[in-house]
Amino acid sequence: MENKTLLPLALTYLARGWSVIICGKDKRPILPWKDYQSRLATPEELVRWFTDYPEAQVGIVTGSLSNLTVVDVEADGDFGLIKDQTFMVETGGKGRHWYFEYDADFKNAVRVLPSVDIRSQGGYVVASGSITSKGPYTALNT
């Protein structure tokens, strides 16, 4: 998506109560993001970020503030692992992100199963609508 479309999308995610940050096409945060694990960016900050960084993509901080735990399954992982009907995003690498209500029992962790990561407190994901160097992130359901 063009950046002019990403700002309204970022504001929509913020309105859902999700902590929004900006990432580069390499999926890494552009700005220090630790503060956004404990406070939401303001709409004015988002406007400034997308003005100052025209190539910025949208990231969502996972954990208690956003009330999100995300299961990240790589393209070679088992997509049948999760049966729940929940918000799901196809990643740029053709993997999947399943969004769930935050659960403190699930820690931010890499490779909890083959090709499966958990993004929770202390983590973030690239948001649907973003386009990274690996490709677009697309919502598969709403």
Side-chain angles (χ1 to χ4, degrees):
M1 279 190 186
E2 293 178 3
N3 206 297
K4 64 185 176 183
T5 306
L6 287 179
L7 174 59
L9 188 60
L11 291 167
T12 298
Y13 293 147
L14 181 64
R16 286 185 185 175
W18 294 352
S19 182
V20 176
I21 59 173
I22 56 171
C23 297
K25 294 216 179 240
D26 62 359
K27 304 192 299 183
R28 294 180 184 188
I30 292 173
L31 301 170
W33 62 283
K34 184 177 181 180
D35 285 351
Y36 302 100
Q37 293 177 51
S38 58
R39 77 167 183 91
L40 298 176
T42 65
E44 294 78 16
E45 285 175 307
L46 291 178
V47 169
R48 186 173 66 248
W49 294 346
F50 281 97
T51 300
D52 292 349
Y53 300 94
E55 295 298 316
Q57 304 301 304
V58 180
I60 298 171
V61 177
T62 53
S64 60
L65 181 61
S66 295
N67 195 31
L68 286 175
T69 296
V70 175
V71 178
D72 177 358
V73 180
E74 300 299 327
D76 64 346
D78 181 3
F79 291 165
L81 182 68
I82 299 173
K83 308 288 187 219
D84 299 54
Q85 293 294 323
T86 185
F87 184 63
M88 185 172 46
V89 173
E90 182 178 79
T91 69
K94 301 301 179 195
R96 301 280 188 279
H97 286 169
W98 280 268
Y99 285 55
F100 294 94
E101 187 174 311
Y102 172 69
D103 186 330
D105 291 336
F106 290 92
K107 306 298 181 201
N108 199 54
V110 176
R111 298 304 183 249
V112 295
L113 293 170
S115 300
V116 178
D117 301 338
I118 303 291
R119 301 294 174 214
S120 196
Q121 194 67 33
Y124 69 93
V125 294
V126 174
S128 171
S130 296
I131 301 174
T132 69
S133 59
K134 289 188 173 185
Y137 281 61
T138 307
L140 297 177
N141 57 8
T142 53

